[in-house]
């Protein structure tokens, strides 16, 4: 299930609005890999819900075996659905970047629930994260910023100029359908699809 989109002034896929204590009534189901069919709690939080199984299945069919042993960066992580799917399918490390502290805390709890050492959570703004020195270039990046906030182009640029991408990295970018995203010239469009108000694209980075 995709997160609801709005024009809220946030750099996270989850809202920072405070509407009383968050509750975890929902579940995120991992659809493939070692943790297939495992269910994880999802906060009842404004604008936050897991990515639909169908959309995740399409994306991970695109990626195929490219995840095994790879470094993965999940920006605007939200529920962590994409990152957890990557861990389940053999990623050696997933960094979840999520600004909202409550949402980030639940991702951390779910990592513990799965008894995996392959995930870490950074609770910060995505652009602030990308503007710091890179320690380990990513082989796969999930980039799904809030719609209508102009964040896609700036994040794509920061990924490329900041050294965050391995030579042949794959970048999954999800935007509103009306947007023709501006991406670095050495990113080659590999796959694309549309669902509802969203357009999903997978790019293959060519070394400069």
């Amino acid at each position: 299930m995709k997160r609801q989109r709005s024009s809220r002034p946030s750099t996270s896929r989850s809202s920072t609005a405070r509407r009383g204590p968050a509750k975890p009534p929902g579940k995120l189901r991992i659809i493939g890999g070692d943790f297939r069919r495992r269910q994880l709690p999802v906060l009842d939080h404004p604008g936050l819900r897991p990515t639909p199984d169908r959309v995740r299945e399409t994306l991970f069919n695109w990626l195929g075996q490219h995840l095994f042993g790879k470094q993965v960066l999940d920006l605007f992580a939200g529920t962590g659905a994409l990152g957890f799917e990557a861990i389940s399918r053999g990623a050696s490390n997933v960094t979840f970047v999520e600004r909202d502290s409550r949402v980030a805390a639940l991702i951390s709890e779910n990592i513990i629930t799965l008894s995996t050492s392959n995930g870490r959570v950074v609770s910060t703004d995505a652009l602030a994260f990308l503007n710091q020195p890179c320690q380990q270039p990513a082989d796969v990046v999930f980039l799904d910023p809030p719609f209508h906030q102009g964040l896609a182009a700036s994040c794509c640029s920061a990924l490329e100029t900041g050294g965050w991408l391995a030579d042949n990295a794959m970048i999954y970018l999800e935007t509103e359908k009306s947007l023709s995203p501006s991406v670095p010239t050495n990113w080659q469009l590999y796959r694309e699809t549309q669902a509802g108000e969203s357009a999903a694209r997978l790019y293959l980075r060519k070394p400069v």
Side-chain angles (χ1 to χ4, degrees), residues 28-67:
L28 162 68
R29 184 174 67 90
I30 297 175
I31 60 175
D34 293 342
F35 299 122
R36 185 181 179 189
R37 297 192 179 94
R38 289 288 297 273
Q39 294 191 356
L40 301 171
V42 176
L43 286 177
D44 180 12
H45 195 72
L48 183 69
R49 60 192 179 96
T51 302
D53 289 2
R54 179 175 58 85
V55 175
R56 278 187 284 147
E57 185 172 9
T58 296
L59 168 60
F60 287 96
N61 283 341
W62 288 348
L63 290 170
Q65 299 300 312
H66 191 76
L67 286 162

Side-chain angles (χ1 to χ4, degrees), residues 2-3 5 11 13 59 72-77 82 126-127 130 140-147 151-160 165 170-175 181-184 187 199-203:
K2 289 304 297 173
R3 285 159 287 275
R5 305 296 183 174
T11 56
R13 286 184 294 195
L59 168 60
V72 177
L73 180 58
D74 187 3
L75 297 168
F76 305 95
L82 300 181
L127 276 174
L130 293 176
V140 177
V141 176
F142 301 129
L143 177 56
D144 184 7
F147 287 179
L151 293 169
S154 55
C155 287
C156 290
S157 177
L159 281 166
E160 183 64 39
L165 301 173
M170 303 193 83
I171 306 99
Y172 172 76
L173 174 63
E174 188 167 339
T175 68
S182 175
V183 303
W187 291 16
R201 298 173 175 90
L202 184 63
Y203 294 91

Side-chain angles (χ1 to χ4, degrees), residues 174-197:
E174 188 167 339
T175 68
E176 59 270 34
K177 282 200 301 187
S178 60
L179 180 68
S180 296
S182 175
V183 303
T185 57
N186 59 317
W187 291 16
Q188 176 184 333
L189 183 62
Y190 179 67
R191 294 282 190 274
E192 64 180 326
T193 190
Q194 294 184 354
E197 65 181 65

Side-chain angles (χ1 to χ4, degrees), residues 91-107:
S92 64
N93 182 71
V94 176
T95 298
F96 299 86
V97 180
E98 169 55 51
R99 189 176 76 170
D100 188 283
S101 59
R102 291 186 295 174
V103 177
L106 186 56
I107 296 175

